[in-house]
Amino acid sequence: ESDSSYTVSCGTPVLRQGGQHRPTNSSQQCLETVAAPIKQKASFKIKDAKCHLHPRAKGKQDEAGKAGVQGGSAPCSDCQVAFVNLKCDSSKKGKGRRARNSSNKEVTRITLEFEAEIKPEEITASCNLHCLRQRVEKKLKAAIKALKKSINQERFLLRFAGMEYEVARKLSVAPERQESCGPGQQRLGGKCVSCSQGTYYHGQTEQCVPCPPGTYQEKEGQLSCDLCPRGDAFGPVGATNITGCTGQCPPGHHSADGFKPCQPCPRGSYQPEVGRALCFPCGGGLTTRHEGALSFQDCDTKVQCSPGHYYNTSVHRCIRCVVGTYQPDFRQNYCITCPGNTTTDFDGSTSVSQCKNRQCGGELGEYTGYIESPNYPGNYPANVECTWNINPPPKRKILIVVPEIFLPSEDECGDVLVMRKNSSPSSITTYETCQTYERPIAFTARSRKLWINFKTSEANSARGFQIPYVTYDEDYEQLVEDIVRDGRLYASENHQEILKDKKLIKAFFDVLAHPQNYFKYTEKHKEMLPRSFIKLLRSKVSSFLRPYK
């Protein structure tokens, strides 16, 4: 549960009233009411120790075996305890005066819950149910008393699958040099690794072992596998969930527990999944042509709905999927909700690709960053407006690279990207476009700050843009402008690819933001950038850094 607490449970608790228990017959229910289990709770303290469930060292285990510790290796024959829950907690919750002195001492509290079952068949003439309950209660109390004695003598252990586990570690005892791994973990390459799904930790071999046929394990780091409902030894090895168990009802069928023997779904109902306990009714008085129907498409609807619609069984009409939902198939009775924080532009959507993220805009001010159209690289949504503000650190100016931009040409400038000094239409404009450009362009901002706005209409949509920017030292303004205004930067396809490649643009930006790093790329990363590009930069950087040479 945490560094200072954990819980271990074994067996199955008798479900409280109102639980999901389904008695097989009324006499069993009657017996269960008469013979309610006996519950006992006990609490222990271990001084100067911390909760730590770990396998007992091998030497100690052997000694324990020789000494014949109570319980031995053979399970007890008359065990009436059906459920045990152990909680260990080392978290400090001290209050008031008593807590003052214990600041340097760790106190671990162990809480144990037992449930012992009463077997009605053991009732005799000389010992009725009340007598039997008292007898079991006495046994439990004696066991708890024995545990209390053993708790501070380091003889309080859990035994599971042939392994003994200590529940807490004394703080005065230094841990062993190669600390043993925790429960459900094996050592791999010097590290403790939890057993994966579909495996369990085998105490004797000290390794993770695949779940045998007829069992499965959904969780990591477990000490056993769960039995399939039917308890037969069929199915795959290493099953990770109950679907690996054999004998599940196929689609179009059902049973009380989802396993064979199965019945076909009656007419007027269907079931698309395997291993189900019920079938879905078609609704609205609709029926199916045969038993064992697999989906709503088998229901005899009065009209056939096309994608983007669902069949309403109350009015027997096709209804358009509302905004934020879609339906790609014919003849369905539902629409699918868009994933995450996405939504659709309009109702009647037919594909998940029409679900778009509308989030965009924000305040930017780092040395490098990027702006991108909402839902990029998918098509941006309709009727959206985004505003970004780039406010660079002191004494730095902004360089923008537009690798490519996709805006619909048939839109008569319905979708517009504009960059200017501020929101006022009369302020200095650095860049404005409503068209697609696949050739990259780089430019410096005409103002120290930039206000960027992207507005879309409700008509067409396109992929939009992802535009990186970098801020550079204003002392290098002459050099940066000299580079980005040189036509050779865009002349060859090789150079254009640099401005489109995210890894290369990062290197290019690094040189522009910190010109001294230019030598890092020309010496260490020669193969990274084309020779012609390095040649172009070399003359400019050299003349800027060494103007008198």
Side-chain angles (χ1 to χ4, degrees):
E1 293 182 351
S2 73
D3 287 344
S4 57
S5 68
Y6 65 81
T7 303
V8 177
S9 60
C10 192
T12 311
V14 172
L15 289 168
R16 318 285 175 256
Q17 279 187 328
Q20 294 180 326
H21 190 71
R22 193 183 62 209
T24 49
N25 55 46
S26 55
S27 63
Q28 184 184 343
Q29 190 177 15
C30 177
L31 274 178
E32 283 176 357
T33 311
V34 172
I38 291 166
K39 293 172 189 172
Q40 288 274 356
K41 201 168 182 177
S43 202
F44 312 101
K45 274 184 187 172
I46 310 177
K47 290 173 187 164
D48 193 28
K50 194 170 174 70
C51 287
H52 184 67
L53 190 66
H54 60 287
R56 203 173 198 215
K58 275 203 162 165
K60 285 188 185 175
Q61 286 195 32
D62 297 342
E63 286 167 31
K66 282 176 194 165
V69 177
Q70 192 180 0
S73 56
C76 50
S77 54
D78 62 341
C79 191
Q80 286 160 302
V81 175
F83 174 70
V84 181
N85 189 63
L86 178 148
K87 180 167 175 69
C88 186
D89 191 355
S90 304
S91 51
K92 294 176 183 174
K93 293 177 185 168
K95 287 180 186 172
R97 248 189 237 167
R98 293 170 69 188
R100 277 185 209 158
N101 306 328
S102 61
S103 58
N104 58 345
K105 292 264 180 166
E106 192 96 40
V107 175
T108 289
R109 184 176 289 277
I110 287 179
T111 309
L112 274 169
E113 283 181 85
F114 293 100
E115 277 189 18
E117 54 189 1
I118 303 288
K119 295 173 181 167
E121 61 268 23
E122 289 179 9
I123 296 172
T124 59
S126 58
C127 189
N128 63 11
L129 183 68
H130 178 67
C131 156
L132 204 61
R133 285 185 76 85
Q134 281 187 321
R135 198 180 280 177
V136 176
E137 274 175 21
K138 200 174 174 184
K139 254 188 179 181
L140 263 184
K141 280 176 182 166
I144 288 167
K145 205 173 176 184
L147 286 173
K148 231 165 200 161
K149 279 185 183 175
S150 73
I151 203 111
N152 278 308
Q153 298 171 8
E154 293 187 53
R155 290 196 293 118
F156 187 88
L157 304 167
L158 289 178
R159 182 177 288 121
F160 186 88
M163 283 284 283
E164 286 178 353
Y165 295 91
E166 294 183 38
V167 293
R169 169 165 281 157
K170 287 276 188 184
L171 297 178
S172 53
V173 180
E176 297 152 37
R177 226 175 341 178
Q178 190 180 30
E179 195 177 327
S180 52
C181 294
Q185 293 185 321
Q186 68 176 356
R187 190 171 287 282
L188 280 177
K191 285 184 182 176
C192 291
V193 181
S194 291
C195 294
S196 60
Q197 291 177 305
T199 70
Y200 71 100
Y201 184 77
H202 193 279
Q204 272 89 9
T205 62
E206 297 182 15
Q207 284 182 322
C208 299
V209 176
C211 292
T215 66
Y216 66 97
Q217 183 49 262
E218 293 176 328
K219 297 175 187 170
E220 292 184 353
Q222 298 301 302
L223 302 175
S224 65
C225 296
D226 295 326
L227 284 170
C228 286
R230 288 289 139 138
D232 53 19
F234 300 108
V237 170
T240 56
N241 55 45
I242 199 166
T243 57
C245 298
T246 57
Q248 286 186 288
C249 293
H253 292 72
H254 72 108
S255 73
D257 60 1
F259 285 81
K260 292 176 181 174
C262 311
Q263 295 85 44
C265 291
R267 289 184 69 175
S269 68
Y270 62 94
Q271 177 50 261
E273 306 287 339
V274 297
R276 299 295 160 165
L278 54 81
C279 298
F280 300 112
C282 291
L286 300 175
T287 186
T288 52
R289 291 180 188 178
H290 50 79
E291 292 183 335
L294 305 181
S295 76
F296 182 77
Q297 292 169 327
D298 295 320
C299 300
D300 283 333
T301 54
K302 296 181 180 174
V303 281
Q304 291 191 13
C305 298
S306 58
H309 298 75
Y310 73 96
Y311 188 88
N312 185 313
T313 53
S314 303
V315 295
H316 296 285
R317 276 178 35 221
C318 296
I319 310 288
R320 285 171 73 83
C321 291
V322 297
V323 170
T325 67
Y326 66 98
Q327 176 51 260
D329 297 323
F330 285 90
R331 301 178 65 188
Q332 291 295 353
N333 61 337
Y334 64 93
C335 294
I336 303 162
T337 304
C338 283
N341 55 0
T342 62
T343 187
T344 57
D345 290 336
F346 310 104
D347 60 0
S349 295
T350 58
S351 162
V352 70
S353 65
Q354 290 170 286
C355 295
K356 298 173 186 175
N357 190 333
R358 296 180 71 87
Q359 289 183 326
C360 60
E363 300 293 319
L364 306 166
E366 299 298 317
Y367 282 72
T368 60
Y370 62 87
I371 62 157
E372 65 180 19
S373 50
N375 201 54
Y376 185 87
N379 285 9
Y380 53 77
N383 292 322
V384 75
E385 184 170 7
C386 313
T387 302
W388 297 267
N389 286 291
I390 301 179
N391 191 2
K395 293 192 172 180
R396 293 186 81 81
K397 295 208 161 189
I398 306 164
L399 169 76
I400 304 275
V401 172
V402 182
E404 54 190 3
I405 182 166
F406 298 94
L407 303 174
S409 53
E410 64 273 17
D411 230 6
E412 294 181 4
C413 276
D415 303 342
V416 182
L417 174 69
V418 63
M419 301 182 190
R420 54 179 181 246
K421 185 177 179 180
N422 55 44
S423 57
S424 167
S426 59
S427 65
I428 301 167
T429 300
T430 292
Y431 180 79
E432 187 169 359
T433 186
C434 60
Q435 291 179 302
T436 292
Y437 289 100
E438 293 188 52
R439 282 172 67 95
I441 184 170
F443 50 87
T444 54
R446 294 178 63 202
S447 52
R448 206 185 74 77
K449 295 180 183 180
L450 267 187
W451 176 86
I452 303 170
N453 183 263
F454 178 57
K455 202 169 183 178
T456 72
S457 66
E458 62 175 28
N460 299 305
S461 179
R463 204 171 120 200
F465 53 83
Q466 187 183 63
I467 297 174
Y469 74 88
V470 63
T471 66
Y472 60 91
D473 192 315
E474 61 185 21
D475 292 345
Y476 299 142
E477 185 172 11
Q478 185 192 331
L479 167 66
V480 172
E481 291 208 351
D482 188 20
I483 293 169
V484 298
R485 287 178 181 173
D486 194 314
R488 289 176 294 168
L489 182 63
Y490 316 103
S492 77
E493 282 194 19
N494 274 354
H495 294 185
Q496 287 180 35
E497 287 308 309
I498 292 167
L499 299 178
K500 289 187 177 190
D501 186 302
K502 284 182 184 175
K503 190 178 174 187
L504 295 180
I505 199 112
K506 195 178 172 189
F508 181 44
F509 273 9
D510 196 19
V511 173
L512 291 175
H514 313 283
Q516 65 273 24
N517 286 353
Y518 155 76
F519 300 103
K520 181 173 87 177
Y521 291 99
T522 53
E523 287 158 23
K524 289 186 186 172
H525 306 281
K526 278 183 182 171
E527 72 291 340
M528 200 170 168
L529 299 164
R531 208 172 276 177
S532 55
F533 185 75
I534 291 171
K535 193 177 174 183
L536 168 69
L537 292 187
R538 182 182 290 136
S539 59
K540 295 184 183 297
V541 175
S542 298
S543 62
F544 181 80
L545 294 179
R546 297 193 284 268
Y548 307 112
K549 193 172 178 182

Short mmCIF file of all heavy atoms in Angstrom, two decimals, residues 485-507:
data_model
loop_
_atom_site.label_atom_id
_atom_site.label_comp_id
_atom_site.label_asym_id
_atom_site.label_seq_id
_atom_site.Cartn_x
_atom_site.Cartn_y
_atom_site.Cartn_z
N ARG A 485 17.91 35.85 -44.47
CA ARG A 485 17.54 36.59 -45.68
C ARG A 485 18.34 36.15 -46.91
O ARG A 485 18.09 36.62 -48.01
CB ARG A 485 17.75 38.10 -45.46
CG ARG A 485 16.69 38.68 -44.53
CD ARG A 485 16.92 40.14 -44.25
NE ARG A 485 15.91 40.67 -43.33
CZ ARG A 485 15.94 41.88 -42.82
NH1 ARG A 485 16.94 42.70 -43.13
NH2 ARG A 485 14.99 42.29 -42.00
N ASP A 486 19.27 35.22 -46.69
CA ASP A 486 20.09 34.74 -47.80
C ASP A 486 19.29 33.70 -48.60
O ASP A 486 18.87 32.68 -48.05
CB ASP A 486 21.38 34.12 -47.26
CG ASP A 486 22.41 33.90 -48.37
OD1 ASP A 486 22.04 33.38 -49.43
OD2 ASP A 486 23.59 34.26 -48.16
N GLY A 487 19.06 33.96 -49.87
CA GLY A 487 18.27 33.06 -50.72
C GLY A 487 18.82 31.66 -50.79
O GLY A 487 18.08 30.69 -51.02
N ARG A 488 20.15 31.50 -50.59
CA ARG A 488 20.76 30.16 -50.67
C ARG A 488 20.22 29.22 -49.58
O ARG A 488 20.30 28.01 -49.69
CB ARG A 488 22.28 30.26 -50.56
CG ARG A 488 22.94 30.86 -51.79
CD ARG A 488 24.44 31.02 -51.59
NE ARG A 488 24.72 32.02 -50.55
CZ ARG A 488 25.94 32.19 -50.01
NH1 ARG A 488 26.95 31.43 -50.40
NH2 ARG A 488 26.14 33.11 -49.09
N LEU A 489 19.70 29.82 -48.48
CA LEU A 489 19.16 29.01 -47.39
C LEU A 489 17.97 28.17 -47.86
O LEU A 489 17.71 27.08 -47.36
CB LEU A 489 18.73 29.91 -46.22
CG LEU A 489 18.19 29.23 -44.96
CD1 LEU A 489 19.26 28.35 -44.31
CD2 LEU A 489 17.70 30.26 -43.95
N TYR A 490 17.24 28.68 -48.85
CA TYR A 490 16.03 27.99 -49.32
C TYR A 490 16.18 27.42 -50.73
O TYR A 490 15.29 26.77 -51.25
CB TYR A 490 14.83 28.97 -49.33
CG TYR A 490 14.76 29.83 -48.09
CD1 TYR A 490 15.17 31.16 -48.12
CD2 TYR A 490 14.31 29.30 -46.89
CE1 TYR A 490 15.12 31.96 -46.97
CE2 TYR A 490 14.26 30.08 -45.75
CZ TYR A 490 14.66 31.42 -45.79
OH TYR A 490 14.61 32.18 -44.66
N ALA A 491 17.35 27.68 -51.36
CA ALA A 491 17.51 27.35 -52.79
C ALA A 491 17.48 25.84 -53.05
O ALA A 491 16.81 25.38 -53.97
CB ALA A 491 18.80 27.95 -53.32
N SER A 492 18.21 25.06 -52.24
CA SER A 492 18.27 23.62 -52.54
C SER A 492 17.28 22.85 -51.67
O SER A 492 16.92 23.28 -50.58
CB SER A 492 19.68 23.09 -52.28
OG SER A 492 19.91 22.93 -50.90
N GLU A 493 16.87 21.68 -52.19
CA GLU A 493 15.94 20.84 -51.42
C GLU A 493 16.57 20.35 -50.13
O GLU A 493 15.90 20.14 -49.14
CB GLU A 493 15.46 19.66 -52.28
CG GLU A 493 14.39 20.10 -53.27
CD GLU A 493 13.66 18.92 -53.89
OE1 GLU A 493 13.70 17.82 -53.31
OE2 GLU A 493 13.03 19.12 -54.95
N ASN A 494 17.90 20.14 -50.18
CA ASN A 494 18.62 19.71 -48.98
C ASN A 494 18.42 20.70 -47.84
O ASN A 494 18.17 20.34 -46.70
CB ASN A 494 20.13 19.60 -49.26
CG ASN A 494 20.48 18.24 -49.83
OD1 ASN A 494 19.63 17.37 -49.91
ND2 ASN A 494 21.71 18.07 -50.25
N HIS A 495 18.56 21.98 -48.19
CA HIS A 495 18.42 23.02 -47.16
C HIS A 495 16.97 23.11 -46.69
O HIS A 495 16.71 23.32 -45.51
CB HIS A 495 18.87 24.38 -47.72
CG HIS A 495 20.34 24.42 -48.01
ND1 HIS A 495 20.98 25.56 -48.43
CD2 HIS A 495 21.30 23.47 -47.94
CE1 HIS A 495 22.26 25.30 -48.61
NE2 HIS A 495 22.47 24.03 -48.34
N GLN A 496 16.02 22.91 -47.60
CA GLN A 496 14.61 22.95 -47.23
C GLN A 496 14.27 21.83 -46.23
O GLN A 496 13.50 22.02 -45.30
CB GLN A 496 13.73 22.82 -48.47
CG GLN A 496 13.72 24.08 -49.33
CD GLN A 496 12.84 23.92 -50.56
OE1 GLN A 496 11.81 23.26 -50.51
NE2 GLN A 496 13.26 24.51 -51.66
N GLU A 497 14.90 20.67 -46.46
CA GLU A 497 14.65 19.53 -45.57
C GLU A 497 15.13 19.81 -44.15
O GLU A 497 14.55 19.33 -43.18
CB GLU A 497 15.31 18.25 -46.11
CG GLU A 497 14.60 17.65 -47.32
CD GLU A 497 13.10 17.45 -47.10
OE1 GLU A 497 12.73 16.84 -46.07
OE2 GLU A 497 12.31 17.92 -47.93
N ILE A 498 16.23 20.59 -44.03
CA ILE A 498 16.73 20.94 -42.69
C ILE A 498 15.66 21.70 -41.93
O ILE A 498 15.41 21.45 -40.75
CB ILE A 498 18.02 21.81 -42.79
CG1 ILE A 498 19.16 20.97 -43.37
CG2 ILE A 498 18.42 22.37 -41.42
CD1 ILE A 498 20.36 21.79 -43.79
N LEU A 499 14.99 22.62 -42.62
CA LEU A 499 13.97 23.45 -41.97
C LEU A 499 12.68 22.68 -41.71
O LEU A 499 11.80 23.16 -41.01
CB LEU A 499 13.68 24.69 -42.83
CG LEU A 499 14.89 25.62 -43.06
CD1 LEU A 499 14.51 26.78 -43.95
CD2 LEU A 499 15.46 26.14 -41.75
N LYS A 500 12.57 21.46 -42.27
CA LYS A 500 11.38 20.63 -42.02
C LYS A 500 11.67 19.49 -41.03
O LYS A 500 10.75 18.88 -40.50
CB LYS A 500 10.87 20.02 -43.34
CG LYS A 500 10.23 21.04 -44.27
CD LYS A 500 9.61 20.33 -45.46
CE LYS A 500 8.90 21.33 -46.37
NZ LYS A 500 8.11 20.67 -47.40
N ASP A 501 12.95 19.18 -40.81
CA ASP A 501 13.34 18.06 -39.95
C ASP A 501 13.48 18.56 -38.50
O ASP A 501 14.28 19.44 -38.21
CB ASP A 501 14.68 17.49 -40.44
CG ASP A 501 15.07 16.23 -39.68
OD1 ASP A 501 15.18 16.29 -38.45
OD2 ASP A 501 15.27 15.20 -40.34
N LYS A 502 12.70 17.95 -37.59
CA LYS A 502 12.69 18.43 -36.20
C LYS A 502 14.06 18.34 -35.53
O LYS A 502 14.45 19.22 -34.77
CB LYS A 502 11.66 17.63 -35.38
CG LYS A 502 10.24 18.07 -35.67
CD LYS A 502 9.25 17.32 -34.82
CE LYS A 502 7.83 17.70 -35.20
NZ LYS A 502 6.82 16.94 -34.50
N LYS A 503 14.80 17.26 -35.81
CA LYS A 503 16.11 17.08 -35.18
C LYS A 503 17.10 18.10 -35.73
O LYS A 503 17.89 18.71 -34.99
CB LYS A 503 16.60 15.65 -35.45
CG LYS A 503 17.83 15.27 -34.65
CD LYS A 503 18.23 13.83 -34.93
CE LYS A 503 19.54 13.47 -34.26
NZ LYS A 503 20.00 12.14 -34.67
N LEU A 504 17.06 18.33 -37.06
CA LEU A 504 18.00 19.27 -37.68
C LEU A 504 17.65 20.72 -37.34
O LEU A 504 18.54 21.54 -37.16
CB LEU A 504 18.03 19.07 -39.20
CG LEU A 504 18.57 17.71 -39.67
CD1 LEU A 504 18.55 17.62 -41.18
CD2 LEU A 504 19.98 17.44 -39.16
N ILE A 505 16.36 21.00 -37.24
CA ILE A 505 15.98 22.39 -36.91
C ILE A 505 16.43 22.72 -35.50
O ILE A 505 16.79 23.85 -35.19
CB ILE A 505 14.47 22.62 -37.08
CG1 ILE A 505 14.18 24.14 -37.20
CG2 ILE A 505 13.65 22.14 -35.93
CD1 ILE A 505 13.72 24.53 -38.54
N LYS A 506 16.47 21.69 -34.64
CA LYS A 506 16.94 21.90 -33.27
C LYS A 506 18.41 22.30 -33.29
O LYS A 506 18.84 23.21 -32.57
CB LYS A 506 16.75 20.61 -32.46
CG LYS A 506 16.87 20.79 -30.97
CD LYS A 506 16.61 19.49 -30.24
CE LYS A 506 16.93 19.66 -28.76
NZ LYS A 506 16.91 18.39 -28.04
N ALA A 507 19.20 21.63 -34.16
CA ALA A 507 20.62 21.96 -34.29
C ALA A 507 20.78 23.37 -34.88
O ALA A 507 21.60 24.17 -34.42
CB ALA A 507 21.30 20.93 -35.19
#
